[in-house]
């Protein structure tokens, strides 16, 4: 009996060492990038995140992915700030060059104008008059030589003026290009900052939801998988795996996107390579909610498309391809989640100017026992129904909900105000 207890204690000790070794290996793994800077560090951390995502999905591995993703976003922010600083210094240098070129151009132009006047006046003297006014042959040759030198000098002035104009134009173009790049980098910095804050919130939410329990995490992950399976089942049973040609469609509401668009239909959502009911977790299969969100974001002035949403890990739960609930704000417009909304609630939301995404169930509700099979954008009230943007059917912009979903039930809604 004594030997048995010692054996059990030894086994437990070995298991604890195994767990600790995995934990510290993850820390060391991420620390491999600490000696790098700028884009090299970003690329290194991105590779680490991708490698970690390839591991079995456990609570500890997911927390490691989140920690690495947070460090990756922090590195991107730091690189972004450095690029903005470098470009700002370049712009300052370019501005000084432009000012100097402007002064030089003004001086050369003034000299050229004076020479044009002098040449015009000299041109009024006829060759015969020059001959008569010369003291002797030597004086005539000297005056002719001076005239030739003056003409060559004038040609050189014309060339210098043209070259100064070209340099000035080039520097102005460089200035405008760098200025535009700084503006884009600042927008990117804002997006990265929002993403970083969301990633930190997501980690805290995961820890709060699971309370450190692997069983709870696996249960929630199974629910996420079931939701994705519902999306995939509708998309593949209705459209197969076909994609549609890319189109640029928009109206007064905003841009229309289709989840099966050939430009992004085969893109993996959150790089999730797991099986989504018979196939990979691509936008074409499970991207109805993602694509609907992108359309709502465009209504509020954002330029993001479904692909941009799909590759942002902060938008998804637990390392899966399941979109967060209630999800990110839409270009600054906060979102609220409503389970089993009434038709009147949705009408009131639309009437108040809110944007609404609706989750539809083919088998009715409630949401506590059913998953949404598809999501659409509710645009406006249409009699007893709604006008929608449908991300699944081709070119389904501002169509009636009853066209394809007259017997379906709205069991979820995300409302953006």
């Amino acid at each position: 009996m004594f030997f048995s207890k010692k054996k059990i204690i030894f086994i437990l000790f070995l298991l604890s060492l195994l767990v600790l070794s995995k934990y510290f290996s993850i820390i060391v793994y991420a620390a491999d990038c600490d000696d790098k800077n700028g884009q090299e560090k970003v690329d290194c951390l991105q590779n680490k995140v991708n490698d970690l995502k390839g591991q079995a999905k456990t609570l500890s591995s997911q927390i490691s992915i989140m920690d690495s993703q947070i460090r990756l976003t922090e590195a991107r922010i730091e690189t972004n700030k450095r690029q903005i600083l470098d470009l700002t210094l370049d712009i300052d240098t370019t501005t000084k060059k432009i000012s100097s070129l402007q002064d030089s151009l003004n001086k050369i132009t003034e000299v050229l104008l004076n020479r044009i006047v002098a040449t015009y006046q000299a041109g009024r003297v006829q060759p015969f008059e020059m001959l008569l006014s010369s003291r002797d042959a030597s004086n005539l040759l000297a005056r002719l030589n001076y005239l030739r030198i003056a003409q060559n000098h004038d040609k050189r002035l014309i060339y210098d003026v043209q070259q100064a104009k070209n340099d000035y134009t080039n520097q102005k173009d460089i200035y405008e290009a760098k200025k535009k790049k700084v503006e884009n980098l600042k927008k990117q910095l804002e997006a990265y900052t929002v993403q970083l804050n969301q990633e930190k919130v997501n980690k805290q939410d995961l820890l709060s939801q699971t309370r450190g329990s692997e069983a709870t995490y696996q249960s929630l992950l199974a629910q996420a998988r079931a939701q994705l399976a519902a999306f995939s089942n509708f998309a593949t049973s209705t459209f197969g795996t076909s994609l549609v040609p890319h189109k640029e469609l928009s109206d007064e509401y905003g841009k229309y996107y289709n989840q099966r668009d050939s430009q992004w239909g085969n893109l993996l959502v959150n790089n999730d390579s797991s099986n989504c009911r018979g196939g990979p977790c691509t936008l074409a299969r499970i991207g109805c909610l993602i694509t609907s969100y992108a359309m709502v974001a465009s209504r509020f002035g954002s330029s993001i498309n479904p692909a941009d949403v799909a590759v942002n890990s902060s938008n998804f739960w637990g390392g899966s391809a399941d979109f967060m609930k209630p999800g990110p704000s839409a270009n600054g417009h906060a979102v609220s989640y409503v389970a089993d909304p009434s038709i009147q609630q949705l009408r009131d939301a639309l009437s108040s100017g809110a944007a609404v995404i609706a989750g539809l169930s083919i088998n009715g509700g409630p949401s506590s026992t059913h998953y949404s099979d598809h999501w659409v954008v509710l645009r406006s009230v249409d009699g007893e129904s709604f006008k929608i943007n449908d991300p699944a059917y081709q070119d389904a912009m501002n169509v009636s909900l009853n066209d394809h979903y007259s017997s379906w039930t709205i069991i979820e809604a995300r409302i953006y105000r």
Side-chain angles (χ1 to χ4, degrees):
M1 187 71 177
F2 175 73
F3 176 76
S4 177
K5 284 183 178 179
K6 286 183 67 177
K7 191 173 183 180
I8 290 171
I9 292 172
F10 181 69
I11 291 172
L12 290 174
F13 174 72
L14 289 178
L15 287 173
S16 65
L17 283 179
L18 180 62
V19 171
L20 286 172
S21 66
K22 285 186 177 181
Y23 174 75
F24 286 114
S25 67
I26 290 168
I27 295 175
V28 171
Y29 193 57
D32 290 344
C33 304
D34 284 348
D35 61 340
K36 297 175 175 58
N37 294 299
Q39 190 58 44
E40 187 181 6
K41 184 173 184 177
V42 170
D43 294 340
C44 177
L45 286 168
Q46 182 64 71
N47 291 333
K48 302 301 182 189
V49 170
N50 293 340
D51 290 345
L52 286 168
K53 283 184 176 180
Q55 298 178 4
K57 292 192 182 300
T58 63
L59 180 58
S60 61
S61 69
Q62 182 52 38
I63 291 173
S64 299
I65 291 171
M66 285 179 154
D67 286 337
S68 296
Q69 185 64 55
I70 287 171
R71 293 189 63 204
L72 170 60
T73 305
E74 288 173 340
R76 282 175 172 159
I77 288 173
E78 186 58 36
T79 300
N80 190 284
K81 287 180 177 178
R82 188 176 295 111
Q83 288 176 330
I84 290 174
L85 177 60
D86 291 343
L87 278 170
T88 302
L89 293 174
D90 287 345
I91 288 173
D92 183 60
T93 302
T94 304
T95 302
K96 291 176 181 177
K97 284 183 179 179
I98 290 172
S99 178
S100 175
L101 284 169
Q102 181 68 62
D103 291 341
S104 176
L105 181 58
N106 290 340
K107 290 177 182 177
I108 295 174
T109 302
E110 183 181 356
V111 172
L112 180 60
L113 287 173
N114 292 334
R115 286 298 308 149
I116 290 172
V117 172
T119 303
Y120 173 75
Q121 292 173 342
R124 296 172 63 185
V125 179
Q126 298 299 318
F128 186 68
E129 293 177 1
M130 186 178 293
L131 176 62
L132 293 176
S133 61
S134 298
R135 294 190 303 274
D136 50 36
S138 177
N139 181 248
L140 175 63
L141 291 173
R143 292 177 70 182
L144 289 173
N145 187 52
Y146 172 79
L147 184 60
R148 180 182 61 79
I149 292 173
Q151 288 173 341
N152 289 337
H153 179 263
D154 291 346
K155 288 179 182 178
R156 182 66 192 179
L157 269 178
I158 293 171
Y159 173 81
D160 288 345
V161 167
Q162 189 58 49
Q163 190 63 38
K165 284 183 178 179
N166 291 339
D167 291 344
Y168 179 79
T169 301
N170 290 338
Q171 289 299 323
K172 284 285 286 185
D173 291 342
I174 291 170
Y175 170 79
E176 293 298 333
K178 288 182 177 180
K179 186 178 177 182
K180 187 173 182 180
K181 190 171 182 180
V182 166
E183 290 172 356
N184 291 335
L185 284 170
K186 285 181 177 179
K187 290 179 181 178
Q188 194 178 62
L189 179 60
E190 291 176 6
Y192 283 150
T193 303
V194 171
Q195 179 178 334
L196 177 62
N197 292 335
Q198 188 61 52
E199 286 168 353
K200 290 178 178 178
V201 169
N202 291 349
K203 179 184 175 182
Q204 292 305 314
D205 286 347
L206 180 64
L207 293 173
S208 176
Q209 290 171 5
T210 61
R211 296 185 180 180
S213 168
E214 179 65 32
T216 302
Y217 172 75
Q218 292 299 333
S219 175
L220 292 171
L221 185 60
Q223 292 175 33
R225 292 283 177 228
Q227 174 61 87
L228 297 174
F231 290 161
S232 182
N233 183 57
F234 165 69
T236 55
S237 63
T238 308
F239 307 102
T241 57
S242 64
L243 301 182
V244 298
H246 176 70
K247 283 187 180 180
E248 295 285 344
L249 296 177
S250 62
D251 60 11
E252 69 280 359
Y253 185 88
K255 291 186 177 181
Y256 169 81
Y257 296 121
N258 192 291
Q259 67 191 80
R260 300 186 296 120
D261 191 304
S262 58
Q263 196 169 92
W264 49 68
N266 286 327
L267 178 69
L268 282 178
V269 176
N270 195 26
N271 200 32
D272 190 346
S273 58
S274 56
N275 189 301
C276 280
R277 200 175 182 85
C281 299
T282 61
L283 271 167
R285 284 176 173 272
I286 63 166
C288 56
L289 176 54
I290 294 167
T291 307
S292 294
Y293 167 76
M295 285 190 271
V296 165
S298 80
R299 183 197 173 195
F300 295 124
S302 174
S303 60
I304 63 171
N305 61 39
D308 298 323
V309 182
V311 299
N312 186 342
S313 63
S314 68
N315 292 329
F316 302 93
W317 184 87
S320 72
D322 190 30
F323 208 52
M324 293 289 289
K325 186 187 294 184
S329 63
N331 206 28
H333 292 260
V335 58
S336 59
Y337 173 81
V338 182
D340 305 302
S342 68
I343 296 299
Q344 191 57 50
Q345 275 182 288
L346 300 174
R347 287 169 177 266
D348 291 344
L350 290 171
S351 297
S352 69
V356 180
I357 302 175
L360 312 174
S361 171
I362 194 171
N363 296 315
S367 59
S368 58
T369 56
H370 292 74
Y371 293 105
S372 291
D373 298 287
H374 188 50
W375 286 79
V376 299
V377 178
L378 301 187
R379 291 176 52 128
S380 60
V381 177
D382 182 33
E384 297 301 314
S385 186
F386 298 95
K387 286 286 190 180
I388 67 169
N389 277 358
D390 187 348
Y393 285 90
Q394 188 173 0
D395 302 341
M397 180 173 68
N398 200 26
V399 298
S400 174
L401 179 66
N402 290 335
D403 285 353
H404 300 289
Y405 312 105
S406 58
S407 62
W408 292 42
T409 304
I410 298 176
I411 62 171
E412 298 178 272
R414 300 185 185 211
I415 301 176
Y416 300 81
R417 302 182 187 278

